[in-house]
Amino acid sequence: MKDTRYTQEQVAQMQKVIDAWKGKPGPLMPILHEAQEVFGCLDEDVQKYISKELQLDVSQIHDVATFYSRFTLSPKGKYTIGVCMGTACYVRGSNKILESFKNYLGIEPGETTEDGLFTIEAVRCIGCCGLAPAICVNEDVHGKFEAKGVPALVAEYKAQAEKA
Amino acid sequence: MIEKKLPDLGIRFGNKVEGENKHHVMICGGTGCTSSRSEALLATFNEEISKANLQDQVSVIRTGCFGLCELGPIAIIYPEGTFYARLTVDHVKDVVEQHLLGGRPVEELVYGSGESFTETPFYRPQMRIALQNCGVIDPENIDEYLALDGYKALEKCLFQMEPEQVIQQIKESGLRGRGGAGFSTGMKWQFTAENQADQKYVACNADEGDPGAFMDRSVLEGDPHCILEAMAIAGYAVGATQGYIYIRAEYPIAVKRLTIAIEQARRAGFLGKNILGKAFDFDVELRLGAGAFVCGEETALIASIEGERGEPRPRPPFPAKEGIFRKPTLLNNVETYANITKIILNGPQWFAGIGTENSKGTKVFALGGKINNTGLVEVPMGTTLREIVEGIGGGCPGGKQFKAAQTGGPSGGCIPAALMDTPIDYDNLGAIGSMMGSGGLIVMDEDNCMVDIARFYLEFTVDESCGKCPPCRIGTKRMLEILTRITEGKGEEGDIERLCEIGQNTIDTALCALGKTAPNPVLSTIKHFREEYEAHIKEKRCPAGQCAALVTYKILEEKCKGCTLCAKACPVGCISGEVKNPFSIDASKCIQCGACMEKCKFGAIERV
């Protein structure tokens, strides 16, 4: 990958993963997962790079990358807030929580705040139905969440980001 | 075979060692309790136990899900079986000093009336087969699994049984697929075994996408080795050497525990080449899903493992003939595999003795929604919905009226209160317009609108339809449009009939199970709650008061004290008035969120 915003370290890290998968059956999904982890998203540069390495048409890569909701073509915020829209959470009012995040952060699901900190998403059941309604921030699950807890949660992660 | 000295876990089955103060403190490390901060609890227990100098007598173990997520974080102390609920780090010191040192449980923190937790109304009616080891062992320690007869079933198969005998036993047990459709597991194994090929595969469907179901996640988090062992047994029975577990990327803890388990099993010689010294090779690889519900459908799952879009393929050929990389593939669900080792060890007759005539064994249900005891329960097939909802689940919170239970997720249907005494099994659920599905059981009360619930599920299937076949792509979309219209008060005469017609056509013509079952939530709610549809369409009224477009909020002047609470709670500022005088709502700005009504202490706000 030349002339891209990605660092040599990122490319080297990815190359290792690709080399390990070469010759094994069905490598595309695991490689896309890893690429998203390394580069933050699967944009055109990343797709072209993988296409060249795996000798697959870039259209084929694009086809798969756009099919699955977990893959993203543009970078997400530092914290992705996923509001669970599973049935158990829905019947306990998760739509109100999503509304509350939308209003408070001023963005729609799938969008990222201008400071690059937060992305909100309506996500599929995260399997925490026992603690409905639940949300997750990256991989941290917050159970029995209430719409009024939105400002405090956002403040908590803002503080965490400043510390880091 | 297994010569190693294994830990003695007798204490967790109530065996007290005379003259010793030995305790095992089991702390739930499932996703639910982890989100309730059980990790901090674990660290604090270790600290306090060291301070009290009890480290030689007390072991603290991170274990799998106990099922009662609602009360998390949970800790169980053995040998007494004392169940501590909603523990915080501040409670730990008391528990250590009073219980572990003093021998007296801290009563105010104990769930139930002090007896062993197995005697509480939530646990007593349960029968744990698939969840047998969940909450009993440390899932990251293979020795604990081995101490409870782990990998003994694999050993028995390899040394005492021919592959045909293994298949025969699974057939005789009557086990049916726990993923939803309920096909005979033994027959599936036989079909895969009969197809000859240079390479065969065994796959595990852990793409638990049903909203409201989390039993597979709990099994993988709490007892990962039992799945690996069952897959190895399946590999031996059908002649496969490679296994794949397709698991949702949304389950990071399960992925981590499986990764650890696979490593441990390889090192101990239960996976890899020449397993237990026999001429049998079998290994397992993890494949992560990427957020596509349709990948729970077997042919779509196979396409995804191959690195393609997760789009279903027409069957036949079935995976038993042409599966992963076009090779014969055995594909079972997590909970199905979780029953295998127990059938091999206890015999098929034992398993066939549990359950109903055509549905053997137990089923794990994820109880959720408007119910007091949310969590995982495992009961014999044939248990009635009433026993599960009222007995184990403790009914609806706040004394609300039970309205319906939804089983089978987006493929299932709603069961009304009148059918609560139906014994739950595959056939009965199908007969009343629902289905077993993977075991999600969502309870709804009088405040839930059944038209809105049908719309909710259709929104889900429209979003998750892969788009390959027109009946599903277009049929679900048209149904969603009609349902949305009805909930917005724009329903028309004939909409119900149109929904039934489109629904039936989609069932008849869609390519895969996702499309074929997508109309079920609509058709079953029409069947059992037709009057709610009619109220929306004819009277423009939502009986449950859920559909925002059909409700208005009003302040009753005679009851309003002018306390301002409602105005402060209103997110759009449409409530105004003078302090100590009746307030009023500007209906043109109101978004019908109901926040004001929740806040009012005087019952002065009315929803009409």
Side-chain angles (χ1 to χ4, degrees):
Chain A
M1 270 209 296
K2 280 176 194 159
D3 308 322
T4 69
R5 60 192 173 85
Y6 299 114
T7 64
Q8 274 184 332
E9 287 78 33
Q10 284 174 312
V11 177
Q13 195 186 341
M14 195 61 222
Q15 193 63 44
K16 250 193 236 160
V17 176
I18 292 180
D19 290 343
W21 275 100
K22 269 187 189 164
K24 281 197 196 171
L28 188 53
M29 291 284 287
I31 285 179
L32 289 179
H33 270 295
E34 194 64 32
Q36 179 154 308
E37 189 68 26
V38 173
F39 300 114
C41 70
L42 304 174
D43 63 10
E44 210 180 314
D45 285 344
V46 175
Q47 292 178 37
K48 280 185 184 159
Y49 165 57
I50 295 172
S51 131
K52 197 168 132 247
E53 290 292 327
L54 292 184
Q55 307 274 301
L56 290 171
D57 286 338
V58 72
S59 65
Q60 231 171 314
I61 313 276
H62 185 77
D63 197 31
V64 173
T66 51
F67 182 82
Y68 297 93
S69 63
R70 222 179 147 80
F71 294 143
T72 174
L73 304 190
S74 53
K76 286 186 185 174
K78 188 173 168 72
Y79 301 108
T80 299
I81 300 172
V83 180
C84 181
M85 283 288 153
T87 324
C89 290
Y90 184 78
V91 303
R92 286 196 173 193
S94 60
N95 46 345
K96 285 183 188 168
I97 296 175
L98 185 64
E99 279 303 313
S100 195
F101 273 113
K102 274 161 61 176
N103 291 333
Y104 192 73
L105 293 172
I107 50 173
E108 288 296 309
E111 292 178 355
T112 302
T113 50
E114 270 183 24
D115 58 8
L117 276 185
F118 297 101
T119 303
I120 50 174
E121 281 178 350
V123 296
R124 293 285 173 247
C125 183
I126 53 174
C128 272
C129 317
L131 295 170
I135 65 160
C136 54
V137 182
N138 295 344
E139 286 185 354
D140 295 340
V141 177
H142 299 256
K144 292 183 189 166
F145 195 79
E146 291 180 69
K148 67 176 184 217
V150 167
L153 183 108
V154 170
E156 183 189 328
Y157 281 92
K158 266 192 182 158
Q160 198 177 312
E162 271 166 30
K163 249 193 253 163
Chain B
M1 260 326 98
I2 301 151
E3 307 284 346
K4 207 162 149 192
K5 185 169 168 5
L6 296 171
D8 180 4
L9 306 184
I11 202 166
R12 294 182 207 166
F13 298 90
N15 302 336
K16 200 167 164 18
V17 188
E18 275 310 312
E20 287 190 42
N21 182 30
K22 282 216 186 303
H23 283 100
H24 284 182
V25 179
M26 313 298 293
I27 294 179
C28 178
T31 294
C33 283
T34 302
S35 85
S36 307
R37 314 285 177 260
S38 67
E39 284 298 310
L41 203 59
L42 190 114
T44 317
F45 258 109
N46 276 325
E47 247 169 61
E48 291 293 332
I49 284 166
S50 301
K51 273 192 215 156
N53 210 16
L54 282 172
Q55 61 271 38
D56 295 333
Q57 287 140 57
V58 181
S59 317
V60 184
I61 296 111
R62 182 196 295 112
T63 182
C65 181
F66 297 116
L68 202 46
C69 315
E70 171 87 20
L71 297 179
I74 292 166
I76 294 183
I77 295 186
Y78 289 114
E80 298 91 334
T82 312
F83 187 108
Y84 285 105
R86 295 198 178 120
L87 272 190
T88 67
V89 288
D90 303 329
H91 294 135
V92 173
K93 197 161 185 276
D94 286 349
V95 174
V96 170
E97 285 175 2
Q98 205 175 312
H99 188 157
L100 298 178
L101 270 174
R104 284 171 295 116
V106 186
E107 271 167 35
E108 59 273 26
L109 301 172
V110 175
Y111 167 69
S113 43
E115 70 276 76
S116 167
F117 74 99
T118 48
E119 291 307 311
T120 59
F122 182 79
Y123 286 100
R124 202 177 8 166
Q126 294 197 44
M127 181 178 206
R128 296 192 145 208
I129 297 176
L131 298 176
Q132 190 176 290
N133 285 339
C134 283
V136 179
I137 59 167
D138 175 354
E140 297 184 12
N141 181 352
I142 190 173
D143 288 349
E144 294 212 345
Y145 180 67
L146 291 171
L148 299 182
D149 292 335
Y151 291 103
K152 282 273 166 60
L154 176 63
E155 190 181 315
K156 185 176 172 186
C157 290
L158 292 183
F159 287 86
Q160 299 171 28
M161 295 165 84
E162 293 299 320
E164 300 76 38
Q165 289 172 302
V166 177
I167 295 175
Q168 190 55 33
Q169 296 225 333
I170 302 302
K171 273 164 76 175
E172 279 170 24
S173 73
L175 176 65
R176 292 169 69 175
R178 298 293 193 245
F183 189 75
S184 158
T185 305
M187 293 303 285
K188 228 181 195 180
W189 288 34
Q190 188 181 330
F191 293 147
T192 317
E194 282 168 359
N195 286 311
Q196 298 304 319
D198 54 343
Q199 173 73 58
K200 293 185 195 178
Y201 297 104
V202 164
C204 173
N205 186 345
D207 191 50
E208 188 173 49
D210 242 7
F214 56 101
M215 59 284 300
D216 294 349
R217 197 205 69 207
S218 291
V219 170
L220 295 170
E221 285 177 357
D223 194 11
H225 283 287
C226 91
I227 302 302
L228 300 180
E229 182 178 4
M231 288 179 72
I233 291 171
Y236 174 70
V238 306
T241 54
Q242 178 65 46
Y244 288 104
I245 300 177
Y246 187 87
I247 181 169
R248 298 180 74 199
E250 288 88 339
Y251 286 177
I253 297 180
V255 171
K256 178 179 156 228
R257 302 233 168 109
L258 270 175
T259 309
I260 293 171
I262 291 172
E263 254 331 292
Q264 290 176 340
R266 280 182 189 149
R267 248 183 289 137
F270 299 116
L271 290 178
K273 300 260 180 232
N274 300 320
I275 293 172
L276 296 171
K278 286 282 188 176
F280 169 56
D281 303 343
F282 188 78
D283 210 341
V284 172
E285 218 176 81
L286 287 188
R287 288 301 172 99
L288 265 56
F293 174 69
V294 69
C295 287
E297 197 279 339
E298 57 179 12
T299 59
L301 184 149
I302 287 166
S304 186
I305 288 181
E306 293 170 348
E308 292 175 21
R309 289 162 70 94
E311 288 178 350
R313 299 164 178 166
R315 299 179 305 181
F318 285 89
K321 193 156 188 280
E322 273 185 36
I324 299 171
F325 305 119
R326 302 287 188 271
K327 301 291 183 188
T329 300
L330 172 72
L331 183 56
N332 286 134
N333 155 275
V334 173
E335 195 188 332
T336 314
Y337 281 125
N339 283 291
I340 298 294
T341 52
K342 290 88 179 182
I343 293 171
I344 298 292
L345 289 177
N346 299 322
Q349 302 318 323
W350 160 80
F351 191 81
I354 305 161
T356 63
E357 199 187 341
N358 291 317
S359 303
K360 300 300 185 191
T362 56
K363 179 78 194 84
V364 185
F365 289 101
L367 273 184
K370 302 284 187 66
I371 187 151
N372 277 312
N373 302 330
T374 58
L376 270 197
V377 302
E378 182 170 357
V379 289
M381 293 276 190
T383 305
T384 65
L385 189 58
R386 187 181 303 280
E387 285 170 72
I388 296 176
V389 172
E390 291 179 2
I392 299 174
C396 300
K400 295 269 183 179
Q401 193 72 36
F402 169 89
K403 186 187 227 174
Q406 211 279 352
T407 65
S411 304
C414 289
I415 305 166
L419 294 173
M420 269 187 105
D421 291 309
T422 311
I424 294 189
D425 67 8
Y426 290 99
D427 310 300
N428 285 342
L429 284 179
I432 56 178
S434 186
M435 71 182 286
M436 183 75 82
S438 53
L441 204 164
I442 310 281
V443 175
M444 295 166 200
D445 67 10
E446 53 192 284
D447 292 338
N448 291 116
C449 167
M450 302 318 281
V451 186
D452 182 58
I453 289 295
R455 191 200 54 77
F456 165 78
Y457 278 115
L458 257 291
E459 200 173 66
F460 180 89
T461 33
V462 166
D463 211 29
E464 294 294 344
S465 170
C466 77
K468 182 169 176 170
C469 80
C472 175
R473 184 180 67 234
I474 304 171
T476 55
K477 177 98 176 135
R478 291 289 99 87
M479 281 192 283
L480 175 61
E481 285 165 2
I482 298 174
L483 287 166
T484 307
R485 205 166 69 205
I486 297 175
T487 56
E488 286 172 351
K490 298 172 197 152
E492 296 162 11
E493 200 67 43
D495 271 351
I496 297 179
E497 291 69 26
R498 259 188 294 278
L499 283 172
C500 292
E501 194 192 340
I502 302 174
Q504 195 54 51
N505 284 339
T506 310
I507 290 173
D508 293 340
T509 54
L511 172 64
C512 82
L514 188 151
K516 280 183 182 301
T517 57
N520 285 352
V522 186
L523 299 181
S524 81
T525 46
I526 291 179
K527 184 171 168 192
H528 299 299
F529 299 93
R530 197 182 176 102
E531 68 285 354
E532 280 197 38
Y533 279 83
E534 284 170 350
H536 282 76
I537 296 171
K538 293 181 183 155
E539 302 163 36
K540 309 293 175 210
R541 181 174 68 86
C542 173
Q546 270 257 302
C547 296
L550 300 180
V551 276
T552 46
Y553 287 87
K554 218 171 77 183
I555 295 179
L556 303 170
E557 276 188 25
E558 64 278 14
K559 285 193 180 169
C560 180
K561 309 273 185 219
C563 74
T564 75
L565 273 183
C566 58
K568 282 180 192 147
C570 179
V572 290
C574 75
I575 305 180
S576 56
E578 273 173 46
V579 183
K580 294 190 179 161
N581 284 310
F583 276 50
S584 65
I585 299 175
D586 179 352
S588 64
K589 287 192 201 152
C590 175
I591 55 166
Q592 289 86 21
C593 69
C596 52
M597 195 169 159
E598 276 170 32
K599 275 278 172 320
C600 182
K601 290 177 185 166
F602 309 103
I605 299 180
E606 191 185 40
R607 182 167 60 200
V608 278

